[in-house]
Amino acid sequence: MSEKTEKLIRPGEIEFADTETIRQMQEHKLAEMLSFINKYSPFYKAKFKELNIDIRNISIDNLKELPFTTKDDLAKFNEQFLCTDKSKVADYITTSGTTSEPVTFYLTSNDLNRIAYNEAVSLQCADGSSNDIFQIMITIDKLFMAGMAYFLGIQKLNAAAIRVGPGTPNAQWEYIHRFKPSTLIAIPSFIPKLIEYALENKIDYKNTSVKKIICLGEPVRQPDFSFNELGKRITSQWDVKLYSTYASTEMSAAFTECGKGNGGHSHPELLILEVVDDNGNKVREGELGEVVVTTLGVEGMPLLRYRTGDLCHVYYSKCSCGRNTTRLGPVMGRKQQMIKYKGTTLFPQTIFNVLDMLPQIKLYQVEVKRDEFNNDSVTVYIDIHLKTSPFIQELLSLFKSKIRVTPLLEFISEDELNSRVHKTDKRKTEKIIYL
Amino acid sequence: MSEKTEKLIRPGEIEFADTETIRQMQEHKLAEMLSFINKYSPFYKAKFKELNIDIRNISIDNLKELPFTTKDDLAKFNEQFLCTDKSKVADYITTSGTTSEPVTFYLTSNDLNRIAYNEAVSLQCADGSSNDIFQIMITIDKLFMAGMAYFLGIQKLNAAAIRVGPGTPNAQWEYIHRFKPSTLIAIPSFIPKLIEYALENKIDYKNTSVKKIICLGEPVRQPDFSFNELGKRITSQWDVKLYSTYASTEMSAAFTECGKGNGGHSHPELLILEVVDDNGNKVREGELGEVVVTTLGVEGMPLLRYRTGDLCHVYYSKCSCGRNTTRLGPVMGRKQQMIKYKGTTLFPQTIFNVLDMLPQIKLYQVEVKRDEFNNDSVTVYIDIHLKTSPFIQELLSLFKSKIRVTPLLEFISEDELNSRVHKTDKRKTEKIIYL
């Protein structure tokens, strides 16, 4: 790498550079990446040969000439993506297997440094600094990437970590009082439970050190950047600033909002982002498309034009925070999760939004079944205690006014609902299932 | 630090040096430590002043002139032990609160490096190398020191980590098959459960990649280094090598066995070890005494002559592995946990050993109550399914032959037993309670 490029990528600095400088840096890193996978990745080496691709002719402008990598490729040819000897593996990661078989990711020491760098710049972007104390409310165990990435990023930022892990509202409050974190790192749907516990136990949650919440795993905003129902529920009860994030193990990087809350910023030194339509063409400013990433600087399992399946609105314009990096709106859903129901096309999040509007509903599961006409039927499972006719009327009319269609309702016991949503063998909660 | 000393403490090297070289290195580090706490520790600064201690007159030989630090001091004056500005804290730790109120430990970046170094040399001592893959079966969450220490140590060793966390035998076996770890890091009483799960699910556990188990939290040996009942139970069913460890948050270091299995090695560059009798005098080779540690190189919360309360046999002689460092036998118990029962003095571990001899007993709790004569009564709670007269006879006669006294037996339901032992608000299982 030339001295000039090296100098430009001091943490966070490149994000404020002009478009051409960012492009040059990416061009350089892309060439490195292509030459690396052409040499070390059994999968890509074979692919380039088969398709007769000369990587020397590839630049960002004609990236489209390279094939996509899909989730199926990863699942089927998992080990063939590994670019290093197994003895160089430092940390084993598995994806949660939300949409397909769990996939293994092999991280080298350099990759651990890279995810640490990613979180350091991401947290910095989210108004974080060495003065912050972060309470980590997600697990670092279970071969999970995010928890360790946050811990290492906090260390790189010279900030402090309180490694609590998920759940246990009583412990979370105890540590909030004892160690006075400025920022929580949490799955946002856990926050209403945390508030509820505080209310039940007369904890003065409004007057704590907590000022910011980094929200992962679920969106808290609408495409217009206003809060969705979950975001509204949190901010109406607690005067905290929410920062959306969007990330995945596959991209080994995160899109994290800055203080302006106008979408998650990409870190151009860590990946090349494309947001494409059904024909693989780049969508325009503010439009919805599928997120496709090419990882930069990954040593263990670099990915080329990886189709995430996630649909987001994209914003190329410079952010008012001064960063000149592409931003993504909230994940609207996964391509294969689009629901066709009674003539309407829906994303799961749209259904969650309605259910999140009613504070009586603490837990739910949405079940989607496809019939022989390729139409979906949607059933919502909720707690049997809510089975009263005024409540049913309220919920159905809410669905009608918000999304024009009404799902089937099934009332089941709290225990059954709990065991459906919190499956012991799954790392993530199952708010939606497809049959 | 002089260039000469620096050169000597390359990882692991100092352990093989002669006694005089080790002493010189420790003398140097002790002087640094005393001057550091005299300057930055509010607690020790006041203590030295109060007792009129001139630290310049202190060497290893007259360390006895300095006061002990007790668990009570730590609990009462917790923050006064902190030597740095809070903004330098990188990681918040709490002790498990097994024997008193949970105590906070503040780690700086340097302290995280120090615990990483500690585990790197400890794992190296336990026949570990960069070729090893370690499956971590304890949590990195819950503000727990050990899990993070192991992860960072594995990274420093250039080895690989599989961060599974505690419990979930099905997941543990899945990852053993998928990633082929050479070494498990586990609470040893979890291993019989792991084997049991394998037997029930027809998993060919005898033919896996697993060759070594680093055992923490519970002893697997007797003072003569032969296996205790738990150690025997594991090794009789599974051809793996067990390595005992003894460690605590307070000492921020570990005593880990080498391949010879003759007690856990101290790392003289990390702490000064004293093993003392009731009068505070050093006990001799092979004798039992209380473990007292002075931490070296700790920045956040260094401790001077900290009385752990743990009783171990000590071995000063050179180990047949070539390391010239003090070794500790298994923890016999804590001073305040000594049980006086029917004229006999017992450690909890002695009772556990008997109970561990009967494979029918999967879970138990020992309850110790003190009467008005300062004598203890001991009750053992076990599963009601075991309440048959042949079993009761077998158990009582085993107690008689092994420890000469018989405890009271109480048979309770599996659920009740489970909830007694695995309290949700406790990090450790409660195998023994004192009322």
Side-chain angles (χ1 to χ4, degrees):
Chain A
M1 187 177 290
S2 75
E3 206 184 302
K4 190 178 161 235
T5 324
E6 186 64 81
K7 215 175 144 194
L8 279 171
I9 58 159
R10 278 201 299 248
E13 203 169 302
I14 187 75
E15 303 168 19
F16 296 91
D18 59 85
T19 310
E20 181 51 27
T21 307
I22 291 176
R23 208 192 58 79
Q24 275 179 26
M25 179 275 297
Q26 285 199 320
E27 208 70 89
H28 189 98
K29 291 207 155 208
L30 174 65
E32 280 182 341
M33 186 269 186
L34 289 172
S35 129
F36 184 80
I37 60 175
N38 192 42
K39 203 165 168 184
Y40 298 113
S41 162
F43 179 85
Y44 288 117
K45 208 156 54 178
K47 196 90 170 175
F48 291 160
K49 203 167 177 189
E50 175 199 331
L51 299 175
N52 210 6
I53 290 169
D54 185 348
I55 54 158
R56 287 170 303 180
N57 299 331
I58 301 298
S59 70
I60 292 176
D61 292 333
N62 63 356
L63 207 55
K64 259 191 77 173
E65 292 177 16
L66 297 178
F68 287 119
T69 305
T70 65
K71 274 184 202 300
D72 272 357
D73 292 332
L74 272 185
K76 263 194 223 156
F77 308 106
N78 201 164
E79 286 219 355
Q80 292 193 41
F81 282 90
L82 180 60
C83 287
T84 63
D85 191 86
K86 277 227 178 128
S87 69
K88 279 198 80 179
V89 175
D91 192 37
Y92 289 84
I93 302 269
T94 63
T95 59
S96 55
T98 313
T99 52
S100 62
E101 280 298 291
V103 169
T104 299
F105 272 79
Y106 303 90
L107 269 66
T108 66
S109 289
N110 288 335
D111 293 338
L112 283 172
N113 282 336
R114 184 180 166 282
I115 62 169
Y117 170 85
N118 161 69
E119 278 310 342
V121 288
S122 296
L123 293 174
Q124 210 166 32
C125 182
D127 300 330
S129 77
S130 63
N131 296 322
D132 280 300
I133 299 173
F134 294 91
Q135 185 149 323
I136 304 177
M137 296 185 167
I138 57 170
T139 189
I140 308 183
D141 302 328
K142 299 192 182 180
L143 295 86
F144 190 42
M145 183 185 278
M148 187 52 85
Y150 278 111
F151 179 79
L152 296 174
I154 290 163
Q155 296 308 321
K156 198 153 231 149
L157 198 60
N158 278 319
I162 310 168
R163 297 176 274 113
V164 188
T168 61
N170 60 334
Q172 304 290 358
W173 284 117
E174 189 194 326
Y175 295 125
I176 289 171
H177 286 122
R178 212 186 315 173
F179 300 133
K180 305 191 173 33
S182 60
T183 314
L184 310 181
I185 295 175
I187 311 288
S189 57
F190 179 62
I191 304 298
K193 286 179 207 156
L194 202 63
I195 295 174
E196 197 184 335
Y197 183 92
L199 289 169
E200 277 167 8
N201 293 276
K202 301 200 173 27
I203 292 170
D204 181 13
Y205 71 94
K206 291 189 177 178
N207 292 299
T208 69
S209 54
V210 177
K211 302 291 171 241
K212 301 178 278 188
I213 304 178
I214 308 287
C215 301
L216 69 149
E218 298 162 342
V220 290
R221 291 192 199 275
Q222 310 269 23
D224 68 357
F225 304 132
S226 68
F227 286 123
N228 65 14
E229 288 307 319
L230 180 57
K232 274 191 232 166
R233 195 191 277 199
I234 296 168
T235 51
S236 67
Q237 288 187 276
W238 200 5
D239 183 21
V240 288
K241 193 154 182 180
L242 303 185
Y243 297 82
S244 295
T245 70
Y246 159 63
S248 71
T249 303
E250 291 86 345
M251 63 175 80
S252 296
F255 292 78
T256 302
E257 282 184 352
C258 68
K260 305 292 178 185
N262 289 325
H265 281 272
S266 106
H267 301 298
E269 65 273 45
L270 295 177
L271 55 80
I272 293 172
L273 171 68
E274 299 170 84
V275 183
V276 302
D277 63 19
D278 284 343
N279 303 318
N281 293 316
K282 260 187 149 174
V283 302
R284 279 172 303 181
E285 177 78 6
E287 284 186 350
L288 189 73
E290 183 181 359
V291 176
V292 173
V293 295
T294 296
T295 60
L296 299 173
V298 170
E299 191 176 48
M301 272 179 61
L303 295 182
L304 181 65
R305 301 196 80 213
Y306 175 70
R307 292 185 83 127
T308 62
D310 295 327
L311 297 166
C312 294
H313 294 84
V314 65
Y315 305 87
Y316 304 106
S317 57
K318 191 166 180 162
C319 180
S320 56
C321 76
R323 284 179 183 80
N324 195 15
T325 59
T326 312
R327 285 163 292 129
L328 291 178
V331 178
M332 300 303 294
R334 290 218 164 87
K335 254 193 116 158
Q336 64 272 47
Q337 285 182 329
M338 270 213 293
I339 302 162
K340 291 177 190 173
Y341 185 52
K342 298 182 185 174
T344 302
T345 301
L346 287 173
F347 286 113
Q349 185 59 41
T350 324
I351 300 169
F352 300 164
N353 275 345
V354 176
L355 292 162
D356 286 335
M357 289 174 82
L358 296 172
Q360 301 97 308
I361 303 180
K362 311 233 185 282
L363 199 68
Y364 54 79
Q365 188 178 54
V366 178
E367 184 185 270
V368 181
K369 264 192 257 192
R370 196 152 287 189
D371 67 19
E372 69 258 52
F373 309 110
N374 207 27
N375 283 319
D376 292 320
S377 89
V378 179
T379 309
V380 174
Y381 290 86
I382 39 185
D383 189 332
I384 193 136
H385 292 112
L386 297 172
K387 197 178 179 180
T388 67
S389 102
F391 179 79
I392 294 173
Q393 272 192 307
E394 187 186 355
L395 180 55
L396 291 181
S397 78
L398 201 60
F399 268 113
K400 232 173 217 159
S401 71
K402 295 291 169 190
I403 61 175
R404 280 171 302 162
V405 289
T406 53
L408 300 166
L409 300 182
E410 281 273 3
F411 295 88
I412 58 177
S413 75
E414 204 185 326
D415 280 356
E416 203 189 331
L417 188 57
N418 249 314
S419 74
R420 269 175 164 263
V421 178
H422 304 289
K423 289 244 180 73
T424 49
D425 58 332
K426 299 273 179 179
R427 194 162 54 188
K428 291 188 182 170
T429 55
E430 300 219 297
K431 278 166 76 171
I432 186 157
I433 51 165
Y434 295 84
L435 297 184
Chain B
M1 188 177 285
S2 75
E3 207 186 303
K4 188 178 162 237
T5 325
E6 187 64 81
K7 215 175 143 194
L8 281 170
I9 58 160
R10 278 202 298 250
E13 202 169 302
I14 187 75
E15 302 169 17
F16 296 91
D18 60 85
T19 311
E20 181 51 26
T21 307
I22 293 176
R23 208 191 60 79
Q24 274 178 25
M25 179 275 298
Q26 286 200 320
E27 207 70 89
H28 188 99
K29 291 207 156 208
L30 174 65
E32 279 182 342
M33 186 269 186
L34 289 173
S35 130
F36 183 80
I37 60 175
N38 192 42
K39 203 164 167 186
Y40 298 112
S41 162
F43 179 85
Y44 289 116
K45 208 156 54 177
K47 196 88 167 180
F48 291 160
K49 202 167 178 190
E50 176 200 329
L51 299 176
N52 211 5
I53 289 168
D54 185 348
I55 54 158
R56 287 169 304 179
N57 299 331
I58 302 297
S59 70
I60 292 177
D61 292 332
N62 63 354
L63 206 55
K64 259 190 77 171
E65 292 177 17
L66 298 177
F68 287 118
T69 305
T70 64
K71 275 185 201 297
D72 272 357
D73 292 332
L74 272 186
K76 262 194 222 157
F77 307 105
N78 202 165
E79 287 219 354
Q80 293 193 40
F81 282 90
L82 179 61
C83 287
T84 63
D85 191 85
K86 277 224 178 132
S87 70
K88 280 198 80 179
V89 175
D91 193 37
Y92 289 83
I93 303 268
T94 62
T95 59
S96 54
T98 313
T99 51
S100 62
E101 280 297 292
V103 168
T104 299
F105 272 80
Y106 304 91
L107 268 66
T108 66
S109 291
N110 288 335
D111 292 338
L112 283 172
N113 283 336
R114 183 179 167 283
I115 63 169
Y117 170 86
N118 161 68
E119 278 311 342
V121 289
S122 296
L123 292 175
Q124 209 166 32
C125 181
D127 299 330
S129 77
S130 62
N131 297 323
D132 280 300
I133 299 174
F134 294 91
Q135 185 150 323
I136 303 177
M137 297 186 166
I138 58 169
T139 189
I140 308 183
D141 301 328
K142 299 192 182 180
L143 294 88
F144 190 41
M145 184 186 278
M148 186 53 84
Y150 278 111
F151 178 79
L152 297 174
I154 290 164
Q155 297 308 321
K156 199 154 230 146
L157 198 61
N158 279 318
I162 311 168
R163 296 176 276 114
V164 188
T168 61
N170 59 335
Q172 303 291 358
W173 284 117
E174 189 195 325
Y175 295 125
I176 288 171
H177 286 124
R178 209 181 322 168
F179 301 133
K180 307 193 170 32
S182 60
T183 314
L184 310 181
I185 296 174
I187 311 289
S189 57
F190 179 61
I191 303 299
K193 285 179 208 158
L194 202 63
I195 295 173
E196 197 185 335
Y197 183 93
L199 289 168
E200 277 167 11
N201 293 276
K202 302 203 172 23
I203 292 170
D204 182 14
Y205 71 93
K206 289 187 178 179
N207 292 300
T208 68
S209 54
V210 177
K211 301 292 171 241
K212 300 177 278 186
I213 304 178
I214 308 285
C215 301
L216 69 148
E218 297 163 345
V220 289
R221 292 192 197 273
Q222 310 268 25
D224 67 358
F225 303 132
S226 68
F227 285 123
N228 66 15
E229 289 307 319
L230 180 57
K232 273 191 232 166
R233 195 191 275 199
I234 297 169
T235 52
S236 67
Q237 288 185 276
W238 200 5
D239 183 21
V240 288
K241 193 154 181 178
L242 305 185
Y243 297 82
S244 295
T245 70
Y246 160 61
S248 71
T249 303
E250 291 86 345
M251 63 176 79
S252 296
F255 292 78
T256 302
E257 280 184 355
C258 67
K260 305 292 178 185
N262 289 325
H265 281 273
S266 107
H267 300 299
E269 65 275 46
L270 294 177
L271 55 79
I272 294 173
L273 171 68
E274 300 170 84
V275 183
V276 301
D277 63 19
D278 284 343
N279 302 317
N281 294 315
K282 261 188 149 175
V283 302
R284 280 173 302 182
E285 176 78 6
E287 284 186 348
L288 188 73
E290 183 181 359
V291 176
V292 174
V293 294
T294 296
T295 61
L296 299 174
V298 171
E299 191 175 49
M301 270 179 62
L303 295 181
L304 180 65
R305 305 197 78 213
Y306 175 71
R307 293 185 82 127
T308 62
D310 295 328
L311 297 166
C312 294
H313 294 84
V314 64
Y315 305 88
Y316 304 105
S317 58
K318 191 167 180 163
C319 179
S320 57
C321 76
R323 284 179 184 80
N324 195 16
T325 58
T326 311
R327 286 164 291 128
L328 290 179
V331 177
M332 301 303 293
R334 288 218 165 87
K335 253 192 117 156
Q336 64 273 47
Q337 285 181 328
M338 271 213 295
I339 301 163
K340 290 178 190 171
Y341 185 52
K342 296 183 185 174
T344 303
T345 301
L346 287 173
F347 286 112
Q349 185 59 41
T350 324
I351 301 171
F352 299 164
N353 276 345
V354 176
L355 292 162
D356 286 337
M357 289 174 83
L358 296 172
Q360 301 98 308
I361 302 179
K362 311 233 185 280
L363 199 67
Y364 54 79
Q365 188 178 54
V366 178
E367 183 186 88
V368 181
K369 264 191 257 190
R370 196 151 286 189
D371 66 19
E372 70 259 53
F373 309 110
N374 208 27
N375 283 318
D376 291 319
S377 89
V378 179
T379 309
V380 174
Y381 290 86
I382 40 185
D383 189 333
I384 193 138
H385 292 112
L386 297 172
K387 197 178 179 179
T388 66
S389 100
F391 179 79
I392 295 174
Q393 271 190 312
E394 187 186 357
L395 180 56
L396 291 182
S397 77
L398 200 61
F399 268 113
K400 230 170 218 158
S401 70
K402 295 290 168 189
I403 61 174
R404 278 171 303 162
V405 287
T406 53
L408 300 166
L409 300 182
E410 281 272 3
F411 294 89
I412 58 177
S413 76
E414 204 184 327
D415 280 356
E416 201 189 330
L417 189 56
N418 249 313
S419 73
R420 269 176 165 262
V421 178
H422 304 289
K423 288 242 179 75
T424 49
D425 59 332
K426 298 273 178 179
R427 193 161 56 190
K428 292 189 182 170
T429 54
E430 299 219 296
K431 279 167 74 171
I432 186 158
I433 51 164
Y434 295 84
L435 298 184

